[in-house]
Amino acid sequence: MQNPQLSIDQLLQEAAQALNAQRLEDARNLLQQVLELDASHFDALHILGVLAFQKGSPAEAEDFIRRALAVDDGFAEAHYNLGKVLRERGRLKEAAEAYQKAVRINDRLDPAWFNLGLVELEWGHHPQAVDAFRRAAEIDPTDPDYPFNLGNALSTLGDVKEARRQFERTVFLDPSYAHAWNNLGIMLRECGEIKEAMDAYQRALDINPQFADAHFNLGNLYEAQGNAEQALVSYQQAVKANPRFAKAYNNLANIYYLQMEMDRARETYETVLEIDPANHTARHMMDALRGATTQAAPAEYVSRLFDKAAPEFEERLVLSLKYQSPKELRQMLDALVPEEKVFDCAVDLGCGTGLSGEAFKSRTRRLVGVDLSARMLQKAREKKIYDALHEGGLVEFLDQSQEKFDLYLAADVLVYIGDLDPLFQAARKRATGSAWFLFSVERVDETDFALRPTGRYAHSRSYIESIADKHGFTCMAIEETVVRMERDEPIPGYNVVTRLKETD
């Protein structure tokens, strides 16, 4: 009940004391008494809005704060608090407008810049998020959340070095920030600093032993180093900490597969599909283990496989798997085409990190690369050997391209495609007269193509010859080769050189 002996100033003073003592209900009652004396009192309306938001009543909070702003539209903190309420209510556009108005009124209001950055991040506007987070961090360089979120936005934009600096800044400000240690580990791995990355993941786990993502990332690192035993332990810890962690189960299944524990691999892939029925990676491997041949590996499977492999890809492929296809295909082409012949426009299908591009660059005037893996393309971009790089599927790229190609390269790529008809059809449409198509495949004899338990496809010689002939290509040379080593066993395959019969 209102005490008529108390003035508005006295009520506000008592409300402030109640707030400081965390007696929130008393504060609300006192502020309501202020409104009974002055229904348009800005401070009472604004603070009641903040209290309603803290109580979990965003609709009531919005009403109070809007009433306050109707009294005084020039108070930056009120616009900031309105933005928080609107974001909570899922009205991101209005929330962003409220934060923007707050910083127009007071461009030193770092929480408004920070929250504006969060909204931009939710929208996928990463450059705008970077700008907003950077402003917040410049205003208050002591808040670890600011460089942490700035690092997240920068890493999404591919600025690994600057993202790393921001995560380093975060853990300097707050050494107990487990998520920052984890993200710093990701950036360190991207920079090739493996030991430092491992140390960062371990710091995250020292802080929070149940941090599933850190266990998962540590497992990825062990797996990339060929340490399956430690990877297995890390993935098991990840799914123990988060029993709904589909990606960790998927990687755990991969380790069981590598260890030839096929029953456990199948069971674990089944768990992945129970959690995430749309997981194309697990579905593909289940098909491979069951011996069910499909038309092609899902694009999601291929992109994830090579995104994951990108940091150590070349070292593992060349040194561990003894991969020589680009070099061998170049030798076959040199034996068939005079060395003075330079191809006008070549396309490296599934270019990866650029091993084929490096092998064939000297024989091309223009070299284009296409790959499903963004991280592989980044590695290829660093080599500066391609005139253009495109992210996407091979057939989709050829269907949409406006260029004509006189040389196609596909080394260690068709192992992720069973039915080659769509690719040859698309290549034929974009080929110049007498274009060349060079590729490698794994070998199978008893059928046209087969999906193997490895998740890769193998093709027969007769199928290669027939599919090439169907689309106007002549097999100029087919050589048996070892396409890679698998568990110290040679995987037989073919290097193939074809040429288009027709001319434009």
Side-chain angles (χ1 to χ4, degrees):
M1 180 179 291
Q2 176 182 337
N3 184 345
Q5 296 179 339
L6 294 180
S7 68
I8 287 178
D9 287 344
Q10 290 171 321
L11 289 168
L12 288 173
Q13 185 176 7
E14 289 195 14
Q17 292 171 350
L19 287 170
N20 288 334
Q22 291 297 301
R23 292 184 286 106
L24 303 186
E25 199 57 42
D26 289 345
R28 273 189 281 271
N29 290 334
L30 290 162
L31 292 168
Q32 288 287 0
Q33 292 180 44
V34 172
L35 292 184
E36 291 175 18
L37 296 174
D38 180 359
S40 62
H41 194 283
F42 176 86
D43 288 335
L45 290 166
H46 181 214
I47 298 170
L48 280 168
V50 173
L51 291 174
F53 182 65
Q54 292 175 349
K55 190 177 66 175
S57 303
E60 182 184 5
E62 181 181 352
D63 178 64
F64 274 123
I65 297 174
R66 286 196 183 279
R67 285 168 60 190
L69 288 170
V71 175
D72 181 1
D73 190 49
F75 193 64
E77 285 79 359
H79 288 286
Y80 159 68
N81 285 320
L82 178 61
K84 290 177 65 178
V85 171
L86 292 168
R87 182 166 177 249
E88 176 70 19
R89 304 194 74 184
R91 290 151 60 185
L92 295 186
K93 184 175 185 298
E94 294 174 79
E97 290 170 351
Y99 294 138
Q100 288 164 347
K101 187 153 189 179
V103 296
R104 282 199 299 272
I105 296 169
N106 178 7
D107 66 0
R108 302 293 296 172
L109 188 59
D110 53 283
W113 282 114
F114 175 68
N115 280 272
L116 177 59
L118 293 176
V119 172
E120 298 288 6
L121 209 57
E122 284 189 63
W123 276 336
H125 299 166
H126 298 104
Q128 293 88 336
V130 165
D131 290 342
F133 291 139
R134 201 182 294 280
R135 289 294 298 272
E138 289 169 353
I139 296 165
D140 182 1
T142 67
D143 190 323
D145 283 338
Y146 296 171
F148 175 74
N149 283 275
L150 176 55
N152 287 338
L154 288 163
S155 66
T156 305
L157 290 172
D159 192 344
V160 173
K161 291 182 180 178
E162 182 59 25
R164 169 186 172 172
R165 281 193 284 269
Q166 295 303 325
F167 293 133
E168 288 172 336
R169 174 68 180 166
T170 305
V171 297
F172 172 78
L173 293 170
D174 181 2
S176 67
Y177 207 136
H179 282 81
W181 282 112
N182 177 65
N183 291 9
L184 176 58
I186 295 171
M187 295 303 103
L188 287 166
R189 182 183 174 185
E190 286 289 324
C191 293
E193 298 181 33
I194 303 304
K195 182 183 182 302
E196 292 78 3
M198 194 171 293
D199 290 343
Y201 294 139
Q202 195 57 59
R203 287 290 297 270
L205 291 169
D206 290 342
I207 297 162
N208 179 8
Q210 300 303 310
F211 193 174
D213 282 354
H215 283 297
F216 176 75
N217 289 325
L218 189 56
N220 274 334
L221 195 53
Y222 281 129
E223 187 179 351
Q225 291 181 308
N227 190 339
E229 291 296 333
Q230 286 296 327
L232 180 69
V233 172
S234 291
Y235 293 140
Q236 288 172 333
Q237 290 295 319
V239 298
K240 182 179 178 181
N242 178 5
R244 303 293 295 174
F245 201 162
K247 288 183 180 180
Y249 275 113
N250 187 81
N251 288 10
L252 183 58
N254 293 342
I255 297 296
Y256 288 138
Y257 166 81
L258 290 173
Q259 295 181 333
M260 301 299 291
E261 297 185 49
M262 296 308 178
D263 289 340
R264 296 188 75 174
R266 275 188 289 268
E267 290 172 4
T268 310
Y269 284 127
E270 286 172 357
T271 301
V272 177
L273 293 171
E274 288 171 7
I275 299 170
D276 179 13
N279 190 302
H280 299 296
T281 297
R283 183 75 61 191
H284 178 68
M285 288 307 297
M286 283 292 291
D287 288 334
L289 291 172
R290 286 198 306 255
T293 294
T294 54
Q295 299 301 298
E300 178 185 320
Y301 166 80
V302 178
S303 62
R304 284 187 177 180
L305 178 68
F306 286 99
D307 277 347
K308 180 179 175 182
E312 297 84 20
F313 177 75
E314 287 195 15
E315 180 180 359
R316 181 169 182 272
L317 192 64
V318 176
L319 297 181
S320 301
L321 303 182
K322 310 300 183 185
Y323 174 70
Q324 296 292 327
S325 291
K327 177 182 176 181
E328 293 171 350
L329 288 169
R330 171 64 191 264
Q331 290 171 346
M332 292 172 70
L333 183 70
D334 288 347
L336 292 166
V337 180
E339 62 180 22
E340 62 270 15
K341 164 68 176 176
V342 177
F343 292 89
D344 289 325
C345 190
V347 58
D348 188 358
L349 299 170
C351 63
T353 60
L355 291 172
S356 291
E358 289 177 309
F360 285 88
K361 177 65 174 176
S362 63
R363 296 213 63 169
T364 66
R365 290 190 178 88
R366 176 171 170 78
L367 180 60
V368 177
V370 55
D371 202 282
L372 277 167
S373 169
R375 297 180 76 183
M376 286 288 193
L377 288 172
Q378 181 57 38
K379 295 289 184 182
R381 192 170 289 113
E382 292 168 3
K383 293 183 176 179
K384 302 184 185 304
I385 57 175
Y386 291 94
D387 298 288
L389 287 166
H390 301 271
E391 182 181 344
L394 309 185
V395 172
E396 292 77 11
F397 166 76
L398 292 172
D399 285 344
Q400 296 169 13
S401 177
Q402 300 302 309
E403 293 192 83
K404 286 281 191 177
F405 303 103
D406 56 354
L407 178 62
Y408 293 91
L409 307 170
D412 200 45
V413 175
L414 304 192
V415 292
Y416 298 102
I417 305 172
D419 182 2
L420 299 180
D421 190 78
L423 178 61
F424 267 84
Q425 184 178 18
R428 175 67 185 89
K429 289 178 181 177
R430 303 311 313 158
T432 63
S434 299
W436 295 74
F437 191 168
L438 284 62
F439 56 90
S440 61
V441 295
E442 293 185 13
R443 173 183 169 179
V444 67
D445 295 323
E446 59 273 10
T447 186
D448 285 347
F449 59 89
L451 176 59
R452 290 183 158 162
T454 57
R456 298 191 301 273
Y457 294 85
H459 301 82
S460 70
R461 179 172 183 143
S462 61
Y463 176 70
I464 292 167
E465 291 173 336
S466 66
I467 203 75
D469 182 69
K470 176 181 176 180
H471 294 285
F473 289 87
T474 300
C475 289
M476 305 296 293
I478 302 180
E479 294 184 359
E480 294 185 3
T481 186
V482 173
V483 293
R484 65 169 67 212
M485 300 295 292
E486 190 85 27
R487 299 191 183 94
D488 296 323
E489 292 292 328
I491 303 300
Y494 297 110
N495 287 323
V496 184
V497 176
T498 71
R499 187 181 186 185
L500 193 63
K501 301 173 190 175
E502 303 173 10
T503 57
D504 287 343

